Amino acid sequence: GLGITDLAGLNTRGWLMGESTEIFYGDVEISNILFPAFIKQNDQLQGSAIPLRFKMCEAVIGLDRLAMITENKESVFDIDSVSPLCTAINTVVSETRKNSLSGIELENSVKILADDLRALIFLVADGASFVPSREKEKQRDNLLNIITRELLGSMKTLDIDRNIQLKYLFEHAIRPYAD
């Protein structure tokens, strides 16, 4: 759909706003095209947005979703770059947890952990740090902290010993992108 929307693009100056549209392949959304035209200042809780000096267009393409389509998979967790990580996670989940969680709870917990591991490697590769280096990187660094806490919570849910298995899981998360 095309319409005015909040693009959830909080930057150091405020919220970018404008039109957006989505591109679907069958039932799978594979891309968003964003047309930011306004900015709402962080300190402006009420009132109108300010027009941007320069108009722009941003296309966001879901590479995992494209891989899902080209590999003819039902889920991004089944694609060649993610499935081995989910398998690795399943090998370190305690038997107690495998027996106490329902099938869907176990599957969802594994998927959340896989997502968190992958998000962390991309954030770190992009320069995120646990100690913010500059004001403009603060949001990315905060996201690193939030996802790390979620990852540790997921490991606890699955009864995975982080002191023993965290390195193993990161190795599996990085492997598809190592070349």
Side-chain angles (χ1 to χ4, degrees):
L2 188 63
I4 298 293
T5 183
D6 175 356
L7 300 176
L10 181 63
N11 64 23
T12 56
R13 298 182 309 161
W15 290 94
L16 293 175
M17 300 171 69
E19 295 183 4
S20 69
T21 189
E22 297 84 26
I23 298 173
F24 288 83
Y25 181 87
D27 293 336
V28 179
E29 180 185 339
I30 59 171
S31 179
N32 286 320
I33 302 175
L34 314 170
F35 304 94
F38 305 95
I39 189 164
K40 189 154 189 149
Q41 300 296 328
N42 286 332
D43 57 357
Q44 280 185 311
L45 298 177
Q46 310 266 320
S48 60
I50 300 166
L52 291 174
R53 187 169 165 206
F54 298 101
K55 304 297 187 246
M56 62 182 102
C57 175
E58 177 181 352
V60 180
I61 299 171
L63 293 177
D64 289 346
R65 292 177 182 192
L66 287 176
M68 187 178 87
I69 292 165
T70 60
E71 294 176 23
N72 198 28
K73 303 291 183 174
E74 291 292 317
S75 159
V76 294
F77 297 98
D78 298 327
I79 65 175
D80 294 345
S81 60
V82 181
S83 178
L85 176 58
C86 292
T87 300
I89 292 169
N90 272 309
T91 65
V92 295
V93 174
S94 77
E95 288 303 317
T96 305
R97 278 299 185 241
K98 285 181 183 178
N99 294 329
S100 67
L101 294 173
S102 72
I104 194 71
E105 288 173 319
L106 178 61
E107 181 181 344
N108 287 342
S109 295
V110 167
K111 288 177 178 180
I112 291 168
L113 182 53
D115 256 358
D116 291 345
L117 286 161
R118 294 176 68 237
L120 286 176
I121 64 170
F122 286 113
L123 278 167
V124 170
D126 192 42
S129 168
F130 287 106
V131 179
S133 52
R134 291 186 291 186
E135 185 65 31
K136 70 180 192 176
E137 279 98 24
K138 229 179 222 182
Q139 290 169 339
R140 181 188 59 197
D141 297 337
N142 286 341
L143 186 58
L144 181 71
N145 287 311
I146 291 166
I147 293 173
T148 299
R149 283 192 299 274
E150 185 175 288
L151 176 136
L152 295 173
S154 294
M155 291 182 77
K156 186 174 182 174
T157 297
L158 293 169
D159 199 22
I160 298 172
D161 186 336
R162 68 180 189 209
N163 296 318
I164 298 171
Q165 303 298 346
L166 191 57
K167 181 180 178 209
Y168 169 81
L169 293 176
F170 270 115
E171 287 170 351
H172 277 79
I174 293 167
R175 189 169 291 148
Y177 314 102
D179 293 334

